[in-house]
Amino acid sequence: MASPTSTNPAHDHFETFVQAQLCQDVLSSFQGLCRALGVESGGGLPQYHKIKSQLNYWSAKSLWAKLDKRAGQPVYQQGQACTNTKCLVIGAGPCGLRAAVELALLGARVVLVEKRTKFSRHNVLHLWLFTIQDLRALGAKKFYGRFCTGTLDHISIRQLQLLLLKVALLLGVEIHWGVTFTGLQPPPRKGSGWRAQLQPNPPAQLANYEFDVLISAAGGKFVPEGFTIREMRGKLAIGITANFVNGRTVEETQVPEISGVARIYNQKFFQSLFKATGIDLENIVYYKDDTHYFVMTAKKQCLLRLGVLRQDLPETDQLLGKANVVPEALQRFARAAADFATNGKLGKLEFAQDGRGRPDVAAFDFTSMMRAESSARVQEKHGARLLLGLVGDCLVEPFWPLGTGVARGFLAAFDAAWMVKRWAEGAGPLEVLAERESLYQLLSQTSPENMHRNVAQYGLDPATRYPNLNLRAVTPNQVQDLYDVVDKERAQRKSDEPDAKKTTTGSAGTEELLHWCQEQTAGFPGVHVTDFSSSWADGLALCALVHRLQPGLLEPSELQGMGALEATAWALRVAEHELGITPVLSAQAVVAGSDPLGLIAYLSHFHSAFKNTAHSPGLVSQSPGTPSAILFLGKLQRSLQRTRAKDHREDAGDKKLPLQVNADRVEDETPSSEEPPVSEPSVSPALPSDQQEAGAEDLCELCGKHLYILERFCVDGHFFHRGCFCCHTCEATLWPGGYGQHPGDGYFYCLQHLPQEDQKEADDNGSLESQEFPTPGDSNLQPGPSSPGPPVTTVSPVPSSGQPVRRLIRLSSLERLRLSSLNIIPDSGAEPPPKPPRSCSDLARESLKNSFVGWGVPVQATQVPEATEKGEEEEEEEEEDEEEEQLPPTLEPDLEQTLLTLAKNSGAMTKYPTWYRTLMRRAKEEEMKRFCKAQAIQRRLNEIEATMRELETEGMKLELALRKESSSPEQQKKLWLEQLLQLIKKKNSLVTEEAELMITVQELDLEEKQRQLDHELRGYMNREESLKTEADRQSEDRVLRQLLDVVNQRDALIQFQEERRLSEIPV
């Protein structure tokens, strides 16, 4: 090892440079190194070669080897690919520095300007595998020994900036600090070049620097002039970040990280958090790096109630502004959430200090995210061309829960550098822009699963990273607007083009809708459709339409003796319960013909869902656009409501509330499992309640205000605004299959806040709400007196008249395997406090089970999982000094013993530590994937909600114009009606997408419940029978029934998805 008192000043400067942890220390030590070697800094690749040749120091050789290997890739052409290219990079964030490194390796002259003078962001970034390999190839382990040594792959922003800064300095990037870019200075005359407008007082050399490439990585708040930014809005989302001091004690190292837990699939954890602290969160993540880093999404009402926010303000900037946030309350909030999530094992939580010496805790808004419409432009003036490119947050603002920011940022940096290479090769401006935009189309779709698997081969060439690459997806003709010749002022010539080409005619106008209705109802006695009012007044036309689309639900003979109102109400209900078509008007409005616009909107939903259905008798073959997910969720919601109502009646002496009476009346008509799931003709159709007068759909049931067509949201025959239909406790918007109505007070709640009749009983159940799926059959295991579990429902998730009755629960092979391998030794002592689901041990067990043929039995050595995460750098000497400091949490005894047995039997005990770490990493990766999937769903649901609000606003304006008595010409009214139909069609599409997402949420939720119940059952079954009490046996029996119930629910969901998949296969 090197002597601590080296006599060579250059060696001392190099060691200080490598180990420096402050930005100013990095710069000063590098300047000292250059002076000691007689090398001028900022000289590009020639500077690097001079330093390498003159610094003959053993400690630097491993770093030179890595950088030489990277620079030796053919794509860089030995640093000659861009020797005549001058680049200016704005921003020293991770993406700006990474782009600067690539440009330097290409041989370009690179100048970087940064307005800050230090790196102070402790927040932690999740890393994809390719980013880990990429940073290791640049010497990350040399500069930061703890790089990716834990069970999760991440790094703090500050550490990432420091190591990339060091690499950039070694490769000759010229960096200027405390300099702000304010704009471009076009060439004043022919023969001159583009310059930058800089503040406050840039050096003369920098002020006169002329460049032909500008790469902006200055963040989302600064985008160069000329780029168009699109906003992607969701509902209000408030994030909170907190960094606590990491003392690196033994106790701290043993606290497991949380790769992500989301309320969308695990309500138990967040319900426990709410009870213990009053904190209401959507999700939480915990990473252990330089600091203990927590990030979470909090609900506004909770922040107001706990005094974190002083008052509720309409504008987000004001809501989260300094004047409205109470710092002390925010600190208490973050500390309490972090302490609960880690079971108090981190001890006294002390805030780290931010760049201004204050506690590093902050609230931020990620309601809307910005995305540039294009990733590059070319400007030309006086013959001087300037290529502009965007990377980082100013290209695409990342959605933090997905952990995609730095990975996609690096990909964009590579793509931008590839664009510069093509520019330097002499490719035409339009060709360069077309290639760059073709790559940009791929960026938002990238994930570790859809990129090339061999991450070690990733390089600057896009073909090494993207499979099925098409660099001609965008043609040069499509990017002409991105080439701006300033002299010709081409932009003004196209200002009138969009209006000239604008078309407003919809694909499904009223004539087409009327013709389709006539076709579907043709041949039914007494039905003759000619309009959207009187033709539907007797209810026969609507019954005929339902019968055509789903024969067997309504037979013409059943309608004899029914009045118009009865028949219409019956058809509306059957269409909702068996076809998934939610009503937007009441039966009274249809019979009276008082709302033709509402009827058009309602019938257009039929048309959108079934327009591709063949006009022939028989069951409907559902197309991808059919609202089958809506149908399934509707059955689920009614099943939940019926179960709760029955349980409540048993406890409350059969007393009912008005809203409950309606729900029960609907559910009493639900078919039993002993008969085909069709509406029974012998049951008289229930009339709408007395409360629901004609035109009742015009008023919101909750706020009493007017309801326009696109605003109407129907639940159990009652109409609401979507914004009003929210949880009575937390005011969160309620989604299909994700809410319940409490029979006691009649209010609606999200499943997390749904009140329980017996809170202790609810806690024993192990979740906030025992959510019941419509199952294919009954279970012969009936809940006993000690079991609080609700009875299994018997509604088939998909209507199928030929479906046989199944009374026995049939387990899949996977379920049998899980129930037969109950050999885990339970933890001693009392049950620990609630913690995030899917512990590492559970996931590690699954990973191990998937890696070997046997479970707990010797297997061949060839079946050992390979620790590919470490790669060839596993043996590097610089890793070893920090490896022991980040030991992962211990496994459960049986799992650890299984792994030890495997290592002994395969004669590979030396590999046991590597296998151990690999197992834990794989478990955390699976945990991360689930969390990211859940958060992507959550974000999309929020975006759908925001989009629906916009559609409702547009629809309100059109509806007012159509209903108002005016002298508008008929052609104008027809145009308005077509536009309203288009909005309705968009809304129906969004509602269907929302239901599809909620199906996935149910999958995640059931998977989580099964894991939790499986873990609990293992604990009971591995106890000695003689040591079990009667209460233990009853609890074991209850958990087993719940587990079988969840398995049955998952089977119903799988059956539903399989039937839908088969229905989509062309005959």
Side-chain angles (χ1 to χ4, degrees), residues 238 240-241 300 302-313 317-335 351 358-364:
I238 301 174
I240 294 177
T241 59
K300 181 182 70 172
C302 171
L303 296 175
L304 288 166
R305 175 169 42 81
L306 296 179
V308 177
L309 301 177
R310 289 189 168 90
Q311 55 182 325
D312 190 1
L313 299 174
D317 291 343
Q318 298 176 355
L319 181 70
L320 299 180
K322 290 183 179 180
N324 200 44
V325 176
V326 181
E328 296 78 10
L330 179 60
Q331 293 171 30
R332 289 194 299 268
F333 184 99
R335 185 181 283 112
F351 283 100
R358 300 173 302 189
D360 196 352
V361 56
F364 64 97

Side-chain angles (χ1 to χ4, degrees), residues 879-899:
E879 283 190 38
E880 297 175 357
D881 22 335
E882 301 292 348
E883 199 73 43
E884 296 181 359
E885 209 169 311
Q886 294 286 339
L887 285 178
T890 57
L891 296 172
E892 291 183 7
D894 70 304
L895 187 58
E896 188 170 2
Q897 185 59 44
T898 300
L899 195 60

Side-chain angles (χ1 to χ4, degrees), residues 480 488-497:
Q480 291 186 15
K488 297 181 181 180
E489 298 183 357
R490 297 167 55 187
Q492 295 182 358
R493 296 188 312 182
K494 301 181 292 182
S495 58
D496 297 327
E497 289 182 8

Side-chain angles (χ1 to χ4, degrees), residues 241 303 343 477 515 548 712 899 1058:
T241 59
L303 296 175
N343 295 323
N477 286 336
H515 179 67
R548 173 72 72 186
R712 296 174 189 172
L899 195 60
E1058 179 64 13

